[in-house]
Amino acid sequence: MASAQSPVQPPRSVFVNTLMPEPAHLAVGSGSLPFTTSFTAATDSFHDDRLDDAVARMLKQLENHTGLQIALAPMASKTATLLITVDGPGEAVQSVDENESYSLEVTRQGAHLKAATDVGAMHGLQTFLQLVQTDGAQFFVPAISIQDTPRFRWRGLMVDCGRHYMPVPVLLRILDGMAAVKMNVFHWHLTEDQGFRIESKVFPKLTEMGSDGQFYTQEQARELVAYARERGIRVVPEFDMPGHTQAWFVGYPELASAEGRFQIERGFGVFDPVMDPTRESTYKFLDAFIGEMASIFPDEYMHIGGDEVNGVEWKNNPRIQKFMRAHNLSDTAALQAYFSQRLMEILKKHGKRPVGWDEILSPRLPRDAVVQSWRGFASLAASVKQGYAGILSKGYYLAYLDPAEKFYLVDPIPTKSDLTPEQQALILGGEACMWSVYVNDTIIDSRIWPRTAAIAERLWSPRSVNNVDDMYRRLWVESVRLEALGLTHITQEDMSLRELAGPAVAASAPGIDALHALTSVLQPGGPEDPHRNTLSPFSRLIFALPPDPPSRHNFELLVSDYLQAPAAHDAQRAQLAALFESWIAAQPELLRLISSSPLLEEARPRAEQLAELGTTGLEAVSWLSSGQAAPRGWKEQKLTVLDEAEKLSAAVRFTVLEPLRDLVNSVKDK
Amino acid sequence: MASAQSPVQPPRSVFVNTLMPEPAHLAVGSGSLPFTTSFTAATDSFHDDRLDDAVARMLKQLENHTGLQIALAPMASKTATLLITVDGPGEAVQSVDENESYSLEVTRQGAHLKAATDVGAMHGLQTFLQLVQTDGAQFFVPAISIQDTPRFRWRGLMVDCGRHYMPVPVLLRILDGMAAVKMNVFHWHLTEDQGFRIESKVFPKLTEMGSDGQFYTQEQARELVAYARERGIRVVPEFDMPGHTQAWFVGYPELASAEGRFQIERGFGVFDPVMDPTRESTYKFLDAFIGEMASIFPDEYMHIGGDEVNGVEWKNNPRIQKFMRAHNLSDTAALQAYFSQRLMEILKKHGKRPVGWDEILSPRLPRDAVVQSWRGFASLAASVKQGYAGILSKGYYLAYLDPAEKFYLVDPIPTKSDLTPEQQALILGGEACMWSVYVNDTIIDSRIWPRTAAIAERLWSPRSVNNVDDMYRRLWVESVRLEALGLTHITQEDMSLRELAGPAVAASAPGIDALHALTSVLQPGGPEDPHRNTLSPFSRLIFALPPDPPSRHNFELLVSDYLQAPAAHDAQRAQLAALFESWIAAQPELLRLISSSPLLEEARPRAEQLAELGTTGLEAVSWLSSGQAAPRGWKEQKLTVLDEAEKLSAAVRFTVLEPLRDLVNSVKDK
């Protein structure tokens, strides 16, 4: 594969930069600090349980990574290999203003990590972990000097636990992954039309009737908040209102704008049920509910949703229409603004600042609100121009299955922004969003990771860190590191393929191995199946495949390398030819496998196309390397093959079509 | 691969028997019942939450397996595809005498499951799940008639959570696996020298000081018991006494026979610390403790350990020696018997019957005690001859890493037993034992599964079901089914290999693929590293490899097939030659990988031997197929190669040596 350029200059020493996110300032020294069984770590000034636990976790990870069992370091020893100097614990409740900076100096003699707070120190420990590398004979940490601080203060991941419930262990390992790439906000989307997921003791019917028994107890929620805090991560809970609230109404129909009984929603989309903003009883309910939730979630912010209210039920209800006229509320947007205002007064009473989606922006929005933009930068800019803090999510929607590079190049402050420096400062950061319409607890890891690490780098590292090739080089390394934390984003593919092949087939050699020739050049595609609902199984090829598999970018690099000099780049030609031949050779076994499993049947056209793509590639490389022109009609015919392969089929797409098109188009015509 | 013989006669229909465990009686009908989206299941007489939940779980698994979303069946409908007739819930607390039988009739028109209890019905549901198969075009259940009942009433798995703590989700998925193969006792080894793992509110220092913070809360324990009951599994907790109790003494040194302070033990072995059986305060403590535990664990049995007391501290303590003389206790065994007797009175007071290891057998053992034999059948026979019920564990030690077939052929009642029928009836069954000296939460799945499914079959199915080839054929299928429950026994190997290769290497193509040629013919070997302790990392090749990989038995079958007629069996010859060539071809890439990672360095001799084994195999097959004799000295030289490869290295062994030896020995000498 082509070597990639690093934005940090390669040192004369053996240092290979696999840091992710890249630190703000990094200077490489000479030599390295060996990592051996006599390694010790100690704090020399402040330390508390949180810091001690973080150090212990890091040591355990280092032991697992190196296989070297190290002695337990006595704390507060000046002779430690890694000395950790921390000024204090940081804020009692981590805020958006927490000091997260740290510095790390590594020499041949030792390492020194300094930070103002536990949180900064924990970020530094993650950097130290990522620095440990090997020359094949031993492990070492390169001599280096790092001064690091995040570009944005709000680096979040939203997980929708409403449409599909995610068990606690799944969320805990996601928090581990977030901490590894220095993210600091877990936005917990807890309520949806499809499920109410957090226990209320004041209103028990919310989960008794609105969750199918799939919800988080208050104790579990408190434990998750504590687990996150231990890792420098804030937890911002979201209670989406006044829309997306059908599950609330199953137990408490009196909150709704329409009459009658409600069911937990099984479908996906924007639905009519919406809270009744005209009744005082609604606010009394929400006052008690928000008060209860405020006692579980200590973060200064609470997310109140506010998105996608279609206004249908408000328009259809004469009583609500009468209320609107009486209060001079000209349209449903004005009624929603009235509701938001009342709701935010309740938040204020309970000591919480509001976060909401774009739609909450209205003239009477409190000054301390944060607007989260799912609509895009123009909407975000509108908010900050009115003086509101904002965070960007448009462009970071993981459910869209875009390649990491696409997320990576979305900057919360575009280069050509017309915002003043003061307005830019109001952009706190961004959040990756994992909506769970097409995600369950089995596949969520592969939808979040490793792509979210690229978003984490965008939000932490300087704007100038934007080399896509280098990002990918480091991303694949980080992906394997994330796996060691217990995440299943890599192993899930084979596991799911075995399920698709069926146990009887998967049990026999070569079993699913034959599938890899095909699946390694496929990625999930859209649009998704409109007939799916929350109860649908996930046993389809699309859910087995990782978005943005390594093969995609690697193939791009290889073809681009080759095309620089097709006649001369013989190694690349050989590599391409071997790959194309493997696509052709795979077909008989692939078709046999497909014939043995109804779940693989939809992939039959893809298996047939794979061989055609192999032939196309082989012929193109042959013409290109020989320098000869192809016969009349050849190019047209091959482009037709590529066009056919481009069409969505089995809800999956080939990852290799653009470079193949480049190959074909580079062939001379007769 | 060679086809295997099934003890059940193959039917004329397309039925392929992949049931595990095999039912007691099975007759194949003609035709099959299609499985489609209109499938429904319903109970027609008794049903309760436990049964309804089990049916719902089965339907969810069927949907995942087939990809077909089925409508939710209204309960109590006579028109259901699968009708479930259950007489009643079964015992309020599942006992060793629970009726676990069921019958299952499947015709072209529908299926009918009958059972006396929920537990029997749940076993039948598992059988139904295993019956669903595909012809490649659609899914169906073959027409079949099954009357099934277990051969043994006690089919257990012991998990040692003392030496290494296992998080609750790990245990829950183990329970799922047990239910899938109809095991019914989870023996929870909760206390050890290395850790006290269950919260006591009466004696909080037990976990505060004796667990490193790694313990189960009482709420977690109750939830686990409920989860197990939902799946027809009893939970028998073990509090090992009076030895293996060092962790108790960290918080409560007054229980110990020696003076001074105690630490949590980090090493492995049999240690001196032991409870003081001479003090009344010991029994007062145990009375309160057992009473507290009895309120958490409803099972009629409680395991009190009793194993491996070396008596050193009792002999060294003059006060204890004086007590022994005063009570006419002639040796430390007699003192332990005295302790056991006192302890069992306490159990009786709290309504519990005792289970203990062989050592509890003594003249005054209560009649209702169960003896669990880790020492072997002779010891078990001695117990039942004295009228005690017993269960066998010797021969089912998963930590020994033996192949499944070895466990499979261990029968709790050997064919040549001299026991009377009444004595044989006292043998309740057996328990697989997962001691966690060399097992942590990452690798435990691969140590337990799929081998434990073979033990489950031994304990459930008739004695006559003992064809090893057919067991393996079904075991590999069951292994993939077990994975679909969330178990990680298959995926762990690649995950661990990526960790051994290191993230920077594992991230690059072909990454760990090159390792597979080697690891697919290796298995973990012993003896283990004597320097390990409870804190040692698991980053060694031995821990990445599954015991008894499919390649071992498959290679045996292939060679044995080939050797039936080396000159004629050309397909087998070609398959063997291709395999041997792949071993030789893998070497350059393997050595490159090994050079890049200190953690793989120990595998270097194995990589070199692999190529030699490949050459040996190729040459043997060449002589054999040609029918010619090898030159003088050839055989001797090749057997030396095999002898060298047989030696333990890197704590791993080759899986292929015996068949290779057969090949070499079959070559004619000149």
Side-chain angles (χ1 to χ4, degrees):
Chain A
M1 291 291 135
S3 67
Q5 288 186 325
S6 164
V8 175
Q9 281 307 307
R12 280 168 307 162
S13 82
V14 285
F15 173 55
V16 178
N17 182 355
T18 62
L19 296 174
M20 185 161 247
E22 283 272 11
H25 302 282
L26 179 154
V28 178
S30 67
S32 61
L33 174 68
F35 182 86
T36 68
T37 54
S38 59
F39 181 89
T40 54
T43 51
D44 70 344
S45 53
F46 170 83
H47 72 104
D48 57 7
D49 283 352
R50 179 161 70 153
L51 184 56
D52 293 347
D53 290 349
V55 173
R57 280 198 306 275
M58 180 202 67
L59 294 178
K60 186 48 82 183
Q61 287 179 260
L62 280 175
E63 287 184 316
N64 290 340
H65 177 56
T66 63
L68 300 171
Q69 185 166 4
I70 57 186
L72 291 179
M75 282 292 157
S77 154
K78 285 278 182 193
T79 60
T81 324
L82 170 62
L83 185 63
I84 302 161
T85 305
V86 177
D87 300 339
E91 296 167 311
V93 174
Q94 185 177 332
S95 86
V96 76
D97 297 317
E98 179 90 31
N99 184 338
E100 299 185 276
S101 306
Y102 70 93
S103 71
L104 178 61
E105 304 288 332
V106 183
T107 68
R108 288 173 169 151
Q109 285 75 43
H112 197 174
L113 171 63
K114 292 185 201 172
T117 68
D118 281 357
V119 177
M122 290 193 284
H123 292 322
L125 291 172
Q126 296 291 350
T127 299
F128 189 81
L129 265 172
Q130 293 183 348
L131 282 171
V132 176
Q133 48 196 265
T134 180
D135 58 8
Q138 56 184 8
F139 291 94
F140 63 90
V141 187
I144 207 164
S145 171
I146 289 173
Q147 285 80 42
D148 202 7
T149 195
R151 178 171 168 224
F152 291 105
R153 290 173 288 166
W154 191 302
R155 305 176 306 281
L157 171 63
M158 187 221 70
V159 177
D160 170 11
C161 299
R163 290 176 178 84
H164 281 98
Y165 173 76
M166 303 295 161
V168 171
V170 170
L171 300 183
L172 298 187
R173 68 189 188 218
I174 288 173
L175 289 168
D176 289 335
M178 291 175 66
V181 294
K182 302 184 173 63
M183 298 183 93
N184 67 356
V185 180
F186 179 70
H187 170 170
W188 200 359
H189 189 83
L190 281 163
T191 64
E192 259 306 337
D193 293 315
Q194 294 85 356
F196 192 99
R197 305 295 182 201
I198 175 78
E199 175 190 28
S200 166
K201 294 182 178 175
V202 183
F203 303 108
K205 285 188 287 183
L206 285 169
T207 53
E208 279 169 22
M209 301 179 69
S211 77
D212 297 305
Q214 295 190 310
F215 64 95
Y216 309 99
T217 65
Q218 295 195 356
E219 190 185 350
Q220 287 175 320
R222 287 198 173 90
E223 285 171 4
L224 187 139
V225 168
Y227 191 92
R229 177 177 164 77
E230 287 282 299
R231 285 151 183 80
I233 298 170
R234 299 163 45 211
V235 176
V236 176
E238 177 178 355
F239 313 102
D240 198 352
M241 296 175 270
H244 290 283
T245 44
Q246 197 168 320
W248 305 54
F249 304 156
V250 186
Y252 297 93
E254 62 270 27
L255 291 172
S257 297
E259 299 291 318
R261 289 192 170 189
F262 293 84
Q263 303 285 325
I264 295 174
E265 179 59 51
R266 303 298 179 196
F268 300 116
V270 175
F271 301 99
D272 295 345
V274 60
M275 283 183 178
D276 186 341
T278 70
R279 288 192 179 119
E280 282 309 304
S281 55
T282 300
Y283 302 107
K284 198 176 160 199
F285 182 105
L286 291 177
D287 184 23
F289 175 74
I290 296 292
E292 186 184 15
M293 293 298 115
S295 74
I296 301 169
F297 297 101
D299 199 82
E300 68 177 322
Y301 285 95
M302 190 176 274
H303 202 300
I304 44 83
D307 56 319
E308 298 185 324
V309 174
N310 67 12
V312 169
E313 291 195 345
W314 290 344
K315 288 177 197 152
N316 289 346
N317 186 324
R319 185 174 48 74
I320 292 176
Q321 287 293 312
K322 187 176 165 192
F323 179 93
M324 287 170 66
R325 286 190 297 275
H327 289 74
N328 284 322
L329 299 167
S330 57
D331 55 17
T332 57
L335 181 57
Q336 184 175 348
Y338 168 83
F339 172 81
S340 285
Q341 197 196 344
R342 295 288 306 269
L343 180 56
M344 290 183 195
E345 283 164 17
I346 294 170
L347 258 63
K348 188 171 185 177
K349 174 184 165 188
H350 295 291
K352 297 297 183 190
R353 301 171 68 172
V355 193
W357 302 99
D358 306 77
E359 291 93 324
I360 66 164
L361 187 64
S362 70
R364 290 192 285 186
L365 185 66
R367 308 314 303 171
D368 64 353
V370 169
V371 179
Q372 177 169 16
S373 182
W374 67 277
R375 289 183 170 169
F377 186 75
S379 177
L380 183 63
S383 297
V384 301
K385 282 178 182 173
Q386 292 179 45
Y388 293 103
I391 51 180
L392 183 67
S393 280
K394 165 93 175 185
Y396 302 137
Y397 266 35
L398 298 166
Y400 288 169
L401 304 172
D402 287 320
E405 65 187 279
K406 188 166 173 187
F407 299 127
Y408 189 61
L409 297 178
V410 172
D411 200 297
I413 305 174
T415 321
K416 294 187 178 173
S417 155
D418 65 348
L419 299 180
T420 66
E422 293 70 27
Q423 288 166 345
Q424 291 189 12
L426 284 171
I427 296 179
L428 301 177
E431 275 189 10
C433 287
M434 183 72 267
W435 297 105
S436 65
V437 176
Y438 296 110
V439 171
N440 70 357
D441 55 340
T442 300
I443 73 165
I444 191 171
D445 284 5
S446 77
R447 268 48 188 159
I448 295 179
W449 309 108
R451 295 181 302 154
T452 295
I455 299 173
E457 174 157 294
R458 173 55 46 238
L459 298 174
W460 177 283
S461 303
R463 179 199 289 275
S464 59
V465 177
N466 57 13
N467 180 310
V468 165
D469 290 346
D470 193 60
M471 179 276 286
Y472 272 119
R473 182 185 62 77
R474 291 176 292 112
L475 187 71
W476 305 135
V477 178
E478 182 58 27
S479 182
V480 179
R481 284 195 293 244
L482 288 166
E483 179 180 40
L485 298 174
L487 290 160
T488 61
H489 56 294
I490 302 177
T491 53
Q492 182 239 316
E493 179 176 354
D494 276 4
M495 194 197 71
S496 294
L497 290 179
R498 276 188 284 272
E499 193 154 350
L500 293 178
V505 171
S508 74
I512 60 158
D513 286 354
L515 277 175
H516 285 150
L518 177 61
T519 60
S520 71
V521 295
L522 289 180
Q523 61 188 356
E528 313 272 1
D529 176 0
H531 301 297
R532 287 184 65 84
N533 60 37
T534 58
L535 304 175
S536 300
F538 279 74
S539 314
R540 285 193 66 189
L541 188 58
I542 178 177
F543 300 117
L545 301 176
D548 201 13
S551 56
R552 187 191 62 80
H553 186 69
N554 288 344
F555 184 70
E556 264 180 33
L557 289 178
L558 178 60
V559 167
S560 142
D561 240 29
Y562 169 69
L563 283 178
Q564 281 171 24
H569 283 189
D570 223 49
Q572 286 86 342
R573 185 203 56 75
Q575 212 179 326
L576 283 170
L579 188 62
F580 296 141
E581 275 160 10
S582 75
W583 295 354
I584 298 167
Q587 203 182 45
E589 182 64 15
L590 260 176
L591 292 178
R592 195 193 64 77
L593 258 177
I594 287 169
S595 293
S596 68
S597 166
L599 290 173
L600 290 175
E601 184 57 35
E602 66 174 349
R604 186 180 296 276
R606 291 315 198 184
E608 285 159 358
Q609 287 166 336
L610 181 68
E612 291 174 28
L613 294 179
T615 306
T616 300
L618 267 187
E619 290 179 13
V621 164
S622 167
W623 295 122
L624 286 165
S625 287
S626 69
Q628 294 184 318
R632 187 186 306 272
W634 178 88
K635 190 176 286 187
E636 194 177 19
Q637 186 208 334
K638 294 304 171 185
L639 290 175
T640 308
V641 166
L642 295 176
D643 288 345
E644 274 303 305
E646 191 100 39
K647 291 178 187 163
L648 188 69
S649 167
V652 299
R653 299 187 184 284
F654 282 107
T655 59
V656 290
L657 297 183
E658 282 183 54
L660 276 174
R661 203 175 287 276
D662 291 343
L663 281 176
V664 170
N665 280 324
S666 300
V667 173
K668 279 183 273 182
D669 266 327
K670 239 182 196 139
Chain B
M1 291 293 135
S3 66
Q5 288 185 323
S6 164
V8 176
Q9 280 308 306
R12 280 169 306 162
S13 84
V14 287
F15 173 55
V16 177
N17 181 356
T18 62
L19 297 174
M20 187 161 242
E22 283 272 11
H25 301 282
L26 179 153
V28 178
S30 67
S32 60
L33 175 68
F35 183 88
T36 68
T37 53
S38 59
F39 181 89
T40 53
T43 51
D44 69 344
S45 52
F46 170 83
H47 71 103
D48 58 6
D49 283 352
R50 181 162 68 153
L51 184 56
D52 293 347
D53 289 350
V55 173
R57 281 198 306 274
M58 181 203 64
L59 295 178
K60 188 45 84 183
Q61 285 179 261
L62 280 175
E63 287 184 314
N64 289 340
H65 176 56
T66 62
L68 300 172
Q69 185 166 4
I70 59 187
L72 291 179
M75 282 293 156
S77 155
K78 284 279 181 191
T79 61
T81 325
L82 170 63
L83 185 63
I84 301 161
T85 305
V86 177
D87 300 339
E91 298 167 311
V93 174
Q94 186 177 331
S95 85
V96 77
D97 297 317
E98 179 90 32
N99 184 337
E100 300 184 274
S101 305
Y102 70 94
S103 71
L104 178 62
E105 305 287 333
V106 183
T107 67
R108 287 172 171 151
Q109 285 75 44
H112 195 175
L113 171 63
K114 292 185 201 168
T117 67
D118 280 357
V119 177
M122 289 193 284
H123 292 321
L125 291 172
Q126 296 293 350
T127 298
F128 189 81
L129 264 173
Q130 293 183 350
L131 282 172
V132 176
Q133 48 196 265
T134 180
D135 58 7
Q138 56 183 8
F139 291 94
F140 64 89
V141 187
I144 207 164
S145 170
I146 289 174
Q147 286 80 42
D148 202 6
T149 194
R151 178 170 168 222
F152 292 105
R153 290 174 286 166
W154 191 302
R155 304 176 307 280
L157 170 63
M158 187 221 70
V159 177
D160 170 12
C161 299
R163 290 176 177 84
H164 281 97
Y165 173 77
M166 303 295 160
V168 171
V170 170
L171 300 183
L172 298 186
R173 69 189 188 218
I174 288 173
L175 290 169
D176 290 335
M178 291 175 66
V181 294
K182 303 184 172 63
M183 298 182 94
N184 67 355
V185 180
F186 179 70
H187 170 170
W188 200 0
H189 189 83
L190 281 163
T191 64
E192 261 305 338
D193 294 315
Q194 293 85 358
F196 192 99
R197 306 297 182 200
I198 176 76
E199 176 191 27
S200 166
K201 294 183 179 176
V202 183
F203 303 108
K205 284 188 288 183
L206 285 169
T207 53
E208 279 169 22
M209 300 178 70
S211 76
D212 296 305
Q214 295 190 311
F215 65 96
Y216 309 100
T217 65
Q218 296 195 356
E219 190 185 350
Q220 287 174 321
R222 286 198 175 89
E223 285 171 3
L224 186 138
V225 168
Y227 192 91
R229 178 177 164 76
E230 287 281 299
R231 284 151 184 81
I233 298 170
R234 300 163 44 210
V235 176
V236 175
E238 177 179 354
F239 312 102
D240 199 352
M241 297 176 268
H244 290 284
T245 45
Q246 197 169 323
W248 304 52
F249 305 156
V250 185
Y252 298 94
E254 61 271 27
L255 292 172
S257 297
E259 300 290 318
R261 289 193 169 189
F262 293 84
Q263 303 285 325
I264 295 173
E265 179 60 52
R266 303 299 179 196
F268 301 117
V270 176
F271 300 100
D272 296 344
V274 59
M275 283 183 179
D276 186 341
T278 70
R279 288 192 179 120
E280 283 309 306
S281 56
T282 301
Y283 302 107
K284 197 175 160 200
F285 182 105
L286 291 177
D287 184 24
F289 175 75
I290 296 292
E292 186 184 17
M293 292 300 114
S295 74
I296 300 169
F297 298 101
D299 199 83
E300 67 176 324
Y301 286 95
M302 190 175 274
H303 203 301
I304 45 83
D307 57 319
E308 298 185 324
V309 174
N310 67 13
V312 169
E313 291 194 347
W314 291 344
K315 287 179 197 150
N316 288 346
N317 186 324
R319 186 173 47 74
I320 292 175
Q321 287 294 312
K322 189 176 164 193
F323 179 94
M324 287 169 67
R325 285 189 297 275
H327 289 75
N328 283 322
L329 299 166
S330 57
D331 56 16
T332 55
L335 181 58
Q336 185 175 349
Y338 168 84
F339 172 82
S340 285
Q341 198 195 345
R342 296 287 308 268
L343 180 55
M344 291 184 194
E345 284 164 16
I346 293 171
L347 257 64
K348 189 171 184 180
K349 174 183 166 189
H350 294 292
K352 296 298 183 192
R353 300 170 68 172
V355 193
W357 301 101
D358 305 78
E359 292 94 324
I360 66 163
L361 187 64
S362 70
R364 290 192 286 185
L365 185 66
R367 306 317 302 173
D368 65 353
V370 170
V371 179
Q372 177 169 17
S373 183
W374 67 275
R375 289 184 170 169
F377 186 74
S379 177
L380 183 63
S383 297
V384 299
K385 283 179 181 172
Q386 292 178 45
Y388 293 102
I391 50 179
L392 183 67
S393 279
K394 165 92 174 187
Y396 303 137
Y397 267 35
L398 299 166
Y400 288 168
L401 304 172
D402 287 321
E405 64 186 281
K406 189 166 174 188
F407 299 127
Y408 189 61
L409 297 178
V410 173
D411 200 296
I413 305 174
T415 321
K416 294 188 180 172
S417 156
D418 66 348
L419 299 180
T420 66
E422 293 71 26
Q423 287 166 345
Q424 291 189 13
L426 285 170
I427 295 179
L428 302 177
E431 273 189 10
C433 288
M434 183 73 266
W435 296 107
S436 66
V437 176
Y438 296 109
V439 171
N440 68 357
D441 56 340
T442 300
I443 72 165
I444 190 170
D445 285 3
S446 78
R447 267 48 188 160
I448 295 179
W449 307 108
R451 294 181 303 155
T452 294
I455 299 173
E457 174 158 294
R458 173 57 44 239
L459 298 173
W460 177 282
S461 303
R463 178 199 288 277
S464 59
V465 177
N466 57 13
N467 180 309
V468 165
D469 289 346
D470 193 60
M471 179 276 288
Y472 272 119
R473 182 185 62 78
R474 291 176 293 113
L475 187 70
W476 306 135
V477 177
E478 182 57 27
S479 182
V480 179
R481 284 195 292 245
L482 287 166
E483 179 180 41
L485 298 174
L487 290 160
T488 62
H489 57 293
I490 301 177
T491 53
Q492 181 239 317
E493 178 175 353
D494 277 3
M495 195 198 71
S496 293
L497 291 179
R498 278 188 282 273
E499 193 154 349
L500 293 178
V505 171
S508 73
I512 60 157
D513 286 353
L515 277 175
H516 284 150
L518 178 60
T519 59
S520 71
V521 295
L522 289 180
Q523 61 187 358
E528 312 272 2
D529 176 1
H531 301 297
R532 288 184 65 82
N533 61 37
T534 58
L535 304 175
S536 300
F538 279 74
S539 313
R540 284 192 67 188
L541 187 58
I542 179 176
F543 300 117
L545 301 176
D548 201 13
S551 57
R552 188 191 62 80
H553 185 70
N554 288 344
F555 184 69
E556 263 180 34
L557 290 178
L558 178 60
V559 167
S560 141
D561 240 29
Y562 170 68
L563 283 179
Q564 282 171 25
H569 284 190
D570 222 48
Q572 287 86 342
R573 185 203 56 76
Q575 213 180 326
L576 283 170
L579 189 62
F580 296 140
E581 276 160 10
S582 76
W583 296 354
I584 298 168
Q587 202 182 46
E589 183 63 15
L590 260 177
L591 293 177
R592 194 193 66 75
L593 258 177
I594 287 170
S595 294
S596 68
S597 165
L599 290 173
L600 290 175
E601 184 57 36
E602 64 175 350
R604 185 180 297 276
R606 291 316 199 182
E608 284 159 358
Q609 287 166 336
L610 181 68
E612 291 174 28
L613 294 180
T615 306
T616 300
L618 267 188
E619 290 179 13
V621 163
S622 168
W623 294 121
L624 286 165
S625 288
S626 70
Q628 293 185 320
R632 187 185 305 274
W634 178 88
K635 189 175 286 187
E636 193 178 21
Q637 187 207 332
K638 294 304 171 186
L639 290 176
T640 308
V641 167
L642 295 176
D643 289 344
E644 273 303 304
E646 191 100 40
K647 292 179 186 162
L648 188 69
S649 167
V652 299
R653 300 187 183 283
F654 281 107
T655 59
V656 290
L657 297 184
E658 282 182 53
L660 276 174
R661 203 174 286 277
D662 291 343
L663 282 176
V664 170
N665 280 323
S666 300
V667 173
K668 279 183 274 184
D669 266 328
K670 238 178 197 147

